[in-house]
Amino acid sequence: MYLCGLLEPVPCGLSDTMLSKSMQKYSIYALLRNALNFHENWHRAWRSPAPKPEYDVIIVGGGGHGLATAYYLAKEHGITNIAVLEKGWIGGGNTGRNTTIIRSNYLWDESAAMYEKSLQLFEGLSQELNFNIMFSQRGVMNLAHSLSDMRELKRRVNAIRLNGIDSEILTTIQIKELLPIINTSPQSRYPILGASLQKRAGIARHDAVAWGYARGADSHGVDIIQNCEVTGMLRKGGCITGVETTKGIIQAPKIGIVAAGHTSVLAAMAGIRLPLNSYPLQAMVSEPIKPIHPCVVMSNAVHVYVSQSDKGEMVLGAGIDGYHSYTQRGSFHVVEGQLGALCELFPIFSRLRLVRQWGGIVDISPDASPILSKTPIKGFYINGGWGTGGFKATPGSGWSFAHTIARDEPHELNAPFTLDRFVSGALIDEHGAAAVAH
């Protein structure tokens, strides 16, 4: 019932500027109480204020990462004079276009720590935000189709366990018991020899994550300003001083860029060239069917990952397109490849109809790891380069980026992900370690 979270009861005589101070707790009692008046007295969960001339911090990007950053800045660091600027509607970019998978089974210590922090925050997020993000810890399974795949999976599982993160190896028989509809025939083109499984991983409702963080940030006094595109950066010497927007100039001594595929575009407005390239990433869903797919399945060999949404749709994704672009639409050759891979693993799905497809814009760094960093410009901070793994990092990204902005120094969690690594050579090479490009 996450849709109930878009509205709340309005106390009589309450002004729009006072709404953030009067958020009432969502509960079954609130639903029952408002059922008596046919749910006609619910109001919006966050304000839509006009921008003020000046703030202490401006966050550019109203997706999950940007809203989480604003929320943790207010909650953890007491900075509440914040504006989140979004050129469209909140959660309308990559947050609303991803395949909702959450996991922390990464090989490298630095990545594992970041994604495990996120997973831990996800586990209590619905309660913390008083907003149902529909987090379902149904498990994520990575398939192995060759002896080299199995050796690599065992290496990864051992490394993951050494970091205190849950992971285990499954045999083909165990895979079939968990997922009876999967094709485990030894005569198949890509026979399944085994898999790794992270039971605590799963999926969450992507727009609910954005809405929950928006409501939480607003309750602390953060201004969420939609339909406000940033068109330029204001600098004075070596310091950032504000932004030019379609709603006028807004000043602030600290600005954080959290704009996914457009991060490098916004950074260029301040005179910084980032080592990021933007690519389309496509996803698609089938018509809804009854529950049949109990976990998330990923395969690097056939290159597809699939889960079943709460509505019953099969949610599909794979790797990025092979060209630079800022388009948000699909292409037929990717659809054909993903559906062929899906039917290789699950022949039963060959009779399903494809309902819709779409694309997002992902920004990828040379080592396929994110950038959460200060910049040479005082007061100017970057959170980008998440590539195809941004959604699962939403809470941890916002939590650590808020620390970086508030204290003007990275937290130990994101210290390995600063811009300095491209000078020192201390890269975190997730290109070959992520098991699948997502």
Side-chain angles (χ1 to χ4, degrees):
M1 296 294 291
Y2 69 89
L3 290 177
C4 298
L6 295 179
L7 303 170
E8 286 186 329
V10 181
C12 293
L14 189 66
S15 69
D16 187 64
T17 57
M18 296 169 61
L19 289 179
S20 65
K21 305 298 183 183
S22 63
M23 293 297 182
Q24 296 188 9
K25 184 177 177 64
Y26 290 153
S27 67
I28 186 64
Y29 303 108
L31 288 173
L32 294 175
R33 183 172 62 251
N34 284 275
L36 298 177
N37 55 28
F38 303 101
H39 298 287
E40 294 181 352
N41 291 334
W42 297 88
H43 70 71
R44 55 191 176 276
W46 55 85
R47 299 163 297 126
S48 295
K52 296 186 293 188
E54 186 172 357
Y55 291 90
D56 294 331
V57 178
I58 291 174
I59 302 298
V60 182
H65 289 238
L67 293 165
T69 300
Y71 171 75
Y72 290 117
L73 273 169
K75 177 178 179 287
E76 302 291 340
H77 303 281
I79 303 173
T80 57
N81 187 24
I82 303 170
V84 177
L85 308 183
E86 169 54 48
K87 73 173 182 178
W89 65 94
I90 63 169
N94 284 4
T95 297
R97 295 170 180 270
N98 66 84
T99 51
T100 76
I101 297 171
I102 296 167
R103 63 185 179 91
S104 63
N105 56 344
Y106 277 72
L107 174 64
W108 303 123
D109 297 348
E110 300 87 350
S111 300
M114 174 63 75
Y115 287 103
E116 178 62 16
K117 176 65 176 180
S118 286
L119 180 52
Q120 291 172 2
L121 289 171
F122 266 121
E123 288 174 323
L125 202 56
S126 291
Q127 290 72 27
E128 178 178 347
L129 299 178
N130 184 222
F131 200 99
N132 184 12
I133 66 166
M134 302 174 72
F135 182 36
S136 171
Q137 291 180 283
R138 59 187 64 185
V140 169
M141 183 188 300
N142 293 85
L143 300 178
H145 299 273
S146 66
L147 291 177
S148 61
D149 284 352
M150 281 301 301
R151 285 192 292 268
E152 178 59 24
L153 274 190
K154 290 177 180 178
R155 175 194 177 213
R156 292 180 68 237
V157 166
N158 288 332
I160 291 164
R161 285 178 170 177
L162 286 173
N163 281 315
I165 301 171
D166 65 303
S167 188
E168 60 186 273
I169 291 289
L170 300 182
T171 65
T172 306
I173 294 174
Q174 291 172 315
I175 295 169
K176 192 69 173 179
E177 290 174 351
L178 179 61
L179 197 59
I181 61 172
I182 197 168
N183 178 19
T184 58
S185 169
Q187 278 73 48
S188 62
R189 183 179 181 185
Y190 295 96
I192 297 173
L193 303 188
S196 66
L197 176 68
Q198 184 181 21
K199 291 182 177 179
R200 291 170 52 241
I203 61 173
R205 180 73 185 186
H206 43 28
D207 44 13
V209 172
W211 297 337
Y213 272 124
R215 179 174 179 267
D218 182 85
S219 70
H220 286 284
V222 174
D223 284 354
I224 299 171
I225 304 169
Q226 302 178 77
N227 301 307
C228 181
E229 182 177 0
V230 172
T231 58
M233 298 288 170
L234 302 178
R235 291 178 55 179
K236 186 175 182 181
C239 303
I240 200 79
T241 60
V243 294
E244 296 176 345
T245 77
T246 52
K247 294 189 177 184
I249 291 175
I250 308 174
Q251 295 183 330
K254 291 187 176 183
I255 296 175
I257 303 299
V258 197
H262 287 89
T263 298
S264 58
V265 176
L266 289 163
M269 294 179 184
I272 293 180
R273 184 180 180 185
L274 293 176
L276 295 174
N277 289 313
S278 294
Y279 299 85
L281 176 68
Q282 297 181 45
M284 59 201 74
V285 295
S286 74
E287 61 185 327
I289 56 177
K290 291 182 178 180
I292 194 174
H293 195 282
C295 68
V296 181
V297 172
M298 305 169 64
S299 171
N300 201 27
V302 299
H303 216 182
V304 71
Y305 44 93
V306 57
S307 63
Q308 187 169 21
S309 73
D310 291 308
K311 293 191 295 183
E313 301 165 323
M314 305 310 300
V315 183
L316 311 175
I320 60 173
D321 286 5
Y323 53 87
H324 303 307
S325 175
Y326 290 92
T327 185
Q328 291 181 315
R329 59 189 179 188
S331 56
F332 289 116
H333 74 284
V334 172
V335 175
E336 182 180 20
Q338 290 191 11
L339 296 183
L342 176 70
C343 293
E344 170 72 24
L345 294 176
F346 302 97
I348 190 175
F349 291 154
S350 62
R351 292 174 287 172
L352 284 179
R353 294 185 182 93
L354 187 67
V355 174
R356 62 187 183 275
Q357 63 173 137
W358 63 91
I361 307 168
V362 299
D363 51 333
I364 299 180
S365 68
D367 60 356
S369 289
I371 299 170
L372 289 92
S373 180
K374 298 167 57 178
T375 69
I377 302 174
K378 183 175 176 58
F380 193 63
Y381 307 87
I382 296 294
N383 183 344
W386 288 97
T388 57
F391 177 70
K392 69 176 74 69
T394 300
S397 164
W399 187 86
S400 57
F401 196 46
H403 179 282
T404 302
I405 294 174
R407 302 194 181 186
D408 198 36
E409 62 180 11
H411 187 272
E412 62 179 11
L413 202 62
N414 66 297
F417 299 100
T418 63
L419 284 167
D420 293 341
R421 75 180 190 271
F422 298 109
V423 177
S424 67
L427 304 181
I428 307 164
D429 188 11
E430 284 297 341
H431 269 302
V436 68
H438 127 269

